[in-house]
Amino acid sequence: MNPAHDILRIALPVPLPRTFDYLLPRDGCVPPPGTRVEVPFGRSRRIGIVLDSAGASEWPREQLKPVQRVLDSAPLFTPELLASLSRAGEYWCGAIGEVLFGALPSWLREGKAPPRPDDEAWRLTVAGRSALDARSRRGSSAGLLRALAESPLRADELDALLPKWRAASRRLRDAGLIETVVPPARSEWRCKPRAQPLTEEQAKALEGMRADARDPRPWLLEGVTGSGKTEVYLELIERALRAGRQSLVLVPEIGLIPQMLRRLRARFDAPIAVLHSNLAEGDRARAWLSALHGEAAIVLGTRSAAFAPLRRAGLIVIDEEHDASYKQQEGFRYHARDLAVWRAHSLDVPIVLGSATPSLDSLANVETGRYTLLRLRRRVHARPASPVHVLNLRGLRMRHGLSPVLLEALDACIARGEQALVFRNRRGYAPVLLCHACGWHAACPHCERPLTVHRGRARLLCHHCGFAQPLPQSCSQCRTAALIPQGHGTERLEDALRARYPQVPVLRVDRESTRRRDAFEKLLDELAHDKPAILVGTQMLAKGHDLPNLTTVAIVGVDEGLHSVDFRAGEKLAQLIVQVAGRAGRADKPGEVWLQTHMPDHPLLATLLRGGYPAAAQEMLEERRALDLPPFAHMILLRAESVDAAALDAFLDAALRAFPADERVRINGPLPAPMPLRAGRHRAQLLLESGSRAPLRHALSIWWPRLQELSQPRGLRWSVDVDPVDVY
Ligand code: ADP
Ligand code: ZN
Ligand code: ZN
């Protein structure tokens, strides 16, 4: 740092898009960028992060106060990460301090000293190995024994694999089945040999990447489920690892971490740092630090792991790149995939975006030459994709929302001793409770939307705001006891299937049934055995998990997606159908997919069946192009909400007036939000669109500071969403 630069620019965790100037601490030490410091702020003290130093301040020097204390002997952010986060803050309209502090694990946010590294690992004793072989333990104890079967594991690794391992470890240690050891040296990075040779397609894809090793463009790896994408990631990670470089691997949700971790563990004998929001504070801080110090060979995590510091970066992998979970939907609304693409660029490392159903955004980037497309067309294990049968429901007599042909298919599947999956993207018993006498339906008093019937819990619930009330016995309008649940949620399907197949386990998988993290793993564990079973569930079922005995997939109730006004609904639906269908017939048994609909000749379904996802995606892209919609246009959405409707209107009108006029930017609104009332708050929005990004960015740079200055009545909340994924 230039010695004449004795003013520090510091980011503080406050919701203001600005930095704060301080003088050097009295002892004259100069904390480098990325270091935490304690500073006086008003009457209190705050932890801040040094961004850089300057020779002058816009404030008079006498008014500046010195930094009180320097907390770290070395920075907690790499220069690249600081730069990327500053850029991200600018792009997605985040206050720099909130962005930086949001990236830090909470342990470090609070100014605590970094936690001590874990100095213990667990392994099986001889008695433990016999207990494992004899299967003498159950539940989380059995899970822990299995987890330790191959190699000792550290606490952070166990945290990621088994939420209840600590309780189990006490029991098992007391029983002499496991013991602690000094963990294997973290510094050693080794690869185990690949079990099978690469397929021709995998080799070709990797060849393409090798040939273009200096090509800075992201690769889009498109391959159906089971085509060996993960194996391609592993190869690339191996290359990085052999060069002593770290790989960052993102998956869209916590539920997918255990299986990715198992694949990584099976292949690499090297420290893996796992980062997600459900970790114990200390473990999260440890994982962050091992990424920062370049100890972790691989950093595996969900969305927020896109903020991980990487001292020796070599590769970034984004699995299931199309998944909307990569976009943060509250607070700082960044997109982890897009952030990762920038970071790869500034780190000068390759990045691979993988998916069976790439987003239209990424496909458009392939078209313009910004991304390079690589395809895996065939499944590794010769099994072709399962045939999809469309069942026309018009005029059919349904039983509990299931058509006769579908029930026959399920009968046959169970008779063969195989497993079936019934997919319905609606939890609860029924989406509406209707009065047969007068037509009244139960609605949320705070949202004016129908309440969902939850029969098991004997409640009506609002899925938008959480409002709950006991299940009424009679109509609140005409008092008749003629209330009937309308439509079918997963709970109702579960009941119906239980009644029809009393001899097989029927397992429901939705947010309700799996509120505990280990419940989902346990359910899947049960299904790993080859006995017949039926799974009923929401899109939680669409992702990842390999169930070898699952052969029949039934998709019911997708018509809502075909009716939706959201221009992204078609894309989401096509992705969901393909992902769910991909669950069928993954191992050595052929699979079959049934899709129930009242719109068998809907163009999207027709194209999807005829040409698969690539054809459907192509068609949807053309449509978006013709209608000037993203990815061919760019959007910024200002959302606001308040209990006071007049205050809301006034704010949005003022926001509209504050917008710098630009004929290249279309302004829609202010308009009521798609849900004009939620949790008792009125909601409205202003949507800005432009065919090119530059005028929109320019306008935003003027508008955003003006918005901060607008008078904001108490209780009014607003946010700016750049590239929103959810406009409706
Ligand atoms: P995806 O990530 O595309 O779903 P995976 O990489 O998980 O595909 O591969 C699907 C299955 O095929 C896995 O069980 C994997 O172990 C196996 N597999 C992948 N590549 C090969 C290969 N080259 N030879 C044999 N089996 C493979
Ligand atoms: Zn009534
Ligand atoms: Zn509500």
Side-chain angles (χ1 to χ4, degrees):
M1 221 178 268
N2 187 328
H5 285 191
D6 63 345
I7 288 166
L8 294 172
R9 283 206 315 132
I10 290 176
L12 295 176
V14 292
L16 300 171
R18 51 165 292 206
T19 56
F20 297 83
D21 290 351
Y22 286 89
L23 298 173
L24 291 181
R26 294 198 197 282
D27 65 6
C29 94
V30 185
T35 310
R36 292 175 306 162
V37 291
E38 192 175 82
V39 296
F41 187 74
R43 290 188 183 175
S44 61
R45 289 183 181 190
R46 290 286 173 99
I47 306 294
I49 293 159
V50 178
L51 288 176
D52 55 22
S53 62
S57 169
E58 56 179 297
W59 305 92
R61 189 169 275 269
E62 316 78 77
Q63 286 183 17
L64 299 184
K65 293 178 183 159
V67 161
Q68 211 90 38
R69 196 157 68 92
V70 178
L71 274 76
D72 302 306
S73 54
L76 289 186
F77 292 83
T78 57
E80 174 276 326
L81 185 56
L82 272 187
S84 293
L85 290 177
S86 303
R87 181 172 172 204
E90 254 164 56
Y91 186 83
W92 285 290
C93 287
I96 178 69
E98 289 193 322
V99 173
L100 293 185
F101 278 83
L104 269 187
S106 57
W107 178 293
L108 300 169
R109 251 178 254 168
E110 289 156 16
K112 286 193 239 176
R116 281 190 321 121
D118 248 329
D119 43 13
E120 267 183 346
W122 297 88
R123 74 168 173 213
L124 296 182
T125 61
V126 176
R129 186 144 312 267
S130 332
L132 172 70
D133 295 340
R135 297 182 180 223
S136 62
R137 295 277 165 158
R138 307 194 56 82
S140 53
S141 297
L144 182 53
L145 291 177
R146 272 202 304 278
L148 296 175
E150 272 193 35
S151 64
L153 294 175
R154 291 190 319 269
D156 53 340
E157 296 171 314
L158 286 166
D159 273 336
L161 286 171
L162 265 180
K164 289 217 172 146
W165 75 274
R166 281 180 203 274
S169 73
R170 264 172 257 137
R171 286 196 298 276
L172 293 179
R173 183 169 55 183
D174 293 347
L177 302 184
I178 62 173
E179 63 193 1
T180 56
V181 286
V182 176
R186 275 174 170 272
S187 54
E188 277 194 72
W189 292 12
R190 276 196 305 256
C191 310
K192 300 174 203 168
R194 179 172 2 101
Q196 301 108 336
L198 295 170
T199 65
E200 211 174 293
E201 283 194 323
Q202 286 169 331
K204 231 176 102 200
L206 285 160
E207 199 47 54
M209 297 182 182
R210 195 189 303 273
D212 287 339
R214 296 308 311 160
D215 186 345
R217 285 178 298 175
W219 287 299
L220 180 64
L221 181 62
E222 175 176 5
V224 295
T225 331
S227 62
K229 294 186 294 299
T230 308
E231 210 59 36
V232 171
Y233 306 154
L234 296 178
E235 281 302 300
L236 293 170
I237 294 170
E238 175 170 344
R239 278 187 206 168
L241 203 135
R242 288 193 187 286
R245 305 235 150 238
Q246 298 172 288
S247 299
L248 172 65
V249 180
L250 299 194
V251 294
E253 59 170 72
I254 292 184
L256 295 176
I257 284 187
Q259 76 178 32
M260 184 62 85
L261 186 57
R262 278 193 281 269
R263 292 283 290 270
L264 293 168
R265 274 260 148 268
R267 185 71 180 274
F268 303 110
D269 199 356
I272 301 175
V274 178
L275 270 172
H276 59 72
S277 51
N278 240 348
L279 291 176
E281 248 192 279
D283 291 338
R284 185 141 179 234
R286 267 190 285 270
W288 164 281
L289 293 169
S290 74
L292 172 71
H293 297 146
E295 286 159 9
I298 302 166
V299 180
L300 168 64
T302 47
R303 180 178 59 224
S304 63
F307 297 142
L310 299 165
R311 168 111 334 145
R312 297 194 264 160
L315 170 73
I316 301 182
V317 173
I318 312 289
D319 194 23
E320 311 282 359
E321 67 87 28
H322 65 280
D323 200 299
S325 323
Y326 283 124
K327 175 86 166 118
Q328 167 76 32
Q329 301 276 28
E330 55 192 36
F332 177 47
R333 294 160 192 260
Y334 67 100
H335 200 301
R337 177 195 59 211
D338 299 349
L339 173 60
V341 167
W342 285 350
R343 291 197 64 195
H345 187 77
S346 32
L347 289 163
D348 195 20
V349 302
I351 178 166
V352 188
L353 315 177
S355 176
T357 54
S359 61
L360 297 188
D361 294 334
S362 294
L363 289 171
N365 279 329
V366 169
E367 227 174 69
T368 58
R370 239 167 286 160
Y371 294 179
T372 308
L373 180 65
L374 295 166
R375 277 214 173 107
L376 301 177
R377 288 164 208 277
R378 277 187 303 276
R379 287 179 162 190
V380 176
H381 298 293
R383 224 12 73 242
S386 311
V388 179
H389 311 282
V390 172
L391 294 173
N392 182 356
L393 297 182
R394 290 184 201 151
L396 283 187
R397 261 186 70 115
M398 309 280 284
R399 293 183 47 193
H400 306 292
L402 302 170
S403 67
V405 183
L406 184 58
L407 288 169
E408 274 168 35
L410 292 177
D411 291 349
C413 167
I414 297 303
R416 290 193 304 266
E418 297 166 357
Q419 296 167 353
L421 183 163
V422 178
F423 171 80
R424 168 76 171 118
N425 216 6
R426 205 77 189 249
R427 68 199 164 85
Y429 187 81
V432 179
L433 184 65
L434 185 78
C435 173
H436 197 48
C438 77
W440 171 88
H441 72 266
C444 173
H446 311 298
C447 304
E448 297 176 355
R449 289 290 172 101
L451 290 166
T452 302
V453 182
H454 286 253
R455 217 164 72 162
R457 295 157 73 183
R459 275 192 153 42
L460 289 174
L461 295 184
C462 176
H463 285 187
H464 304 289
C465 75
F467 170 82
Q469 69 176 62
L471 213 50
Q473 297 305 311
S474 58
C475 173
S476 74
Q477 191 165 286
C478 72
R479 306 282 156 211
T480 317
L483 296 178
I484 45 173
Q486 283 269 297
H488 300 82
T490 46
E491 189 187 351
R492 190 170 197 177
L493 288 171
E494 179 193 14
D495 278 9
L497 292 163
R498 281 240 159 90
R500 186 176 174 99
Y501 305 103
Q503 75 283 19
V504 299
V506 174
L507 305 171
R508 176 158 58 92
V509 179
D510 54 28
R511 257 200 291 151
E512 199 111 342
S513 66
T514 54
R515 235 167 310 159
R516 292 203 337 273
R517 191 150 60 101
D518 50 336
F520 192 33
E521 283 289 304
K522 226 174 103 198
L523 281 177
L524 292 171
D525 248 17
E526 278 183 49
L527 288 177
H529 308 298
D530 272 357
K531 56 184 185 191
I534 300 179
L535 268 167
V536 192
T538 57
Q539 61 188 21
M540 282 186 73
L541 281 177
K543 292 179 189 159
H545 314 277
D546 231 334
L547 300 168
N549 198 28
L550 179 72
T551 58
T552 303
V553 165
I555 302 176
V556 307
V558 294
D559 290 2
E560 291 144 31
L562 296 171
H563 287 303
S564 172
V565 292
D566 178 357
F567 70 84
R568 284 200 175 83
E571 178 183 1
K572 287 182 202 152
L573 184 65
Q575 288 165 345
L576 207 51
I577 290 175
V578 172
Q579 300 272 349
V580 176
R583 307 283 105 225
R586 292 205 63 181
D588 51 350
K589 291 174 192 159
E592 236 175 0
V593 181
W594 303 83
L595 194 140
Q596 283 197 164
T597 175
H598 279 97
M599 292 185 277
D601 28 48
H602 190 286
L604 176 60
L605 290 182
T607 313
L608 198 54
L609 293 190
R610 208 184 47 244
Y613 185 80
Q618 205 48 48
E619 216 167 89
M620 289 186 284
L621 270 176
E622 289 320 315
E623 211 176 282
R624 299 260 190 104
R625 196 196 311 272
L627 296 174
D628 254 343
L629 287 168
F632 304 102
H634 306 277
M635 293 182 167
I636 291 177
L637 185 62
L638 172 68
R639 294 190 183 87
E641 57 173 63
S642 169
V643 282
D644 179 352
L648 177 64
D649 290 345
F651 175 78
L652 284 175
D653 284 340
L656 179 60
R657 281 196 304 276
F659 189 78
D662 185 328
E663 71 221 9
R664 291 165 301 174
V665 178
R666 289 191 299 279
I667 304 177
N668 305 295
L671 284 169
M675 263 194 81
L677 186 71
R678 179 149 141 192
R681 306 171 69 86
H682 300 277
R683 309 163 81 235
Q685 60 193 35
L686 199 55
L687 180 66
L688 310 172
E689 282 177 276
S690 179
S692 51
R693 219 185 278 277
L696 210 50
R697 295 300 317 168
H698 176 70
L700 184 63
S701 68
I702 300 169
W703 195 41
W704 167 243
R706 289 190 188 165
L707 286 174
Q708 320 273 333
E709 317 255 287
L710 291 184
S711 95
Q712 288 165 34
R714 264 187 54 143
L716 183 122
R717 292 187 214 141
W718 62 274
S719 63
V720 170
D721 195 347
V722 178
D723 306 333
V725 293
D726 214 354
V727 186
Y728 290 94

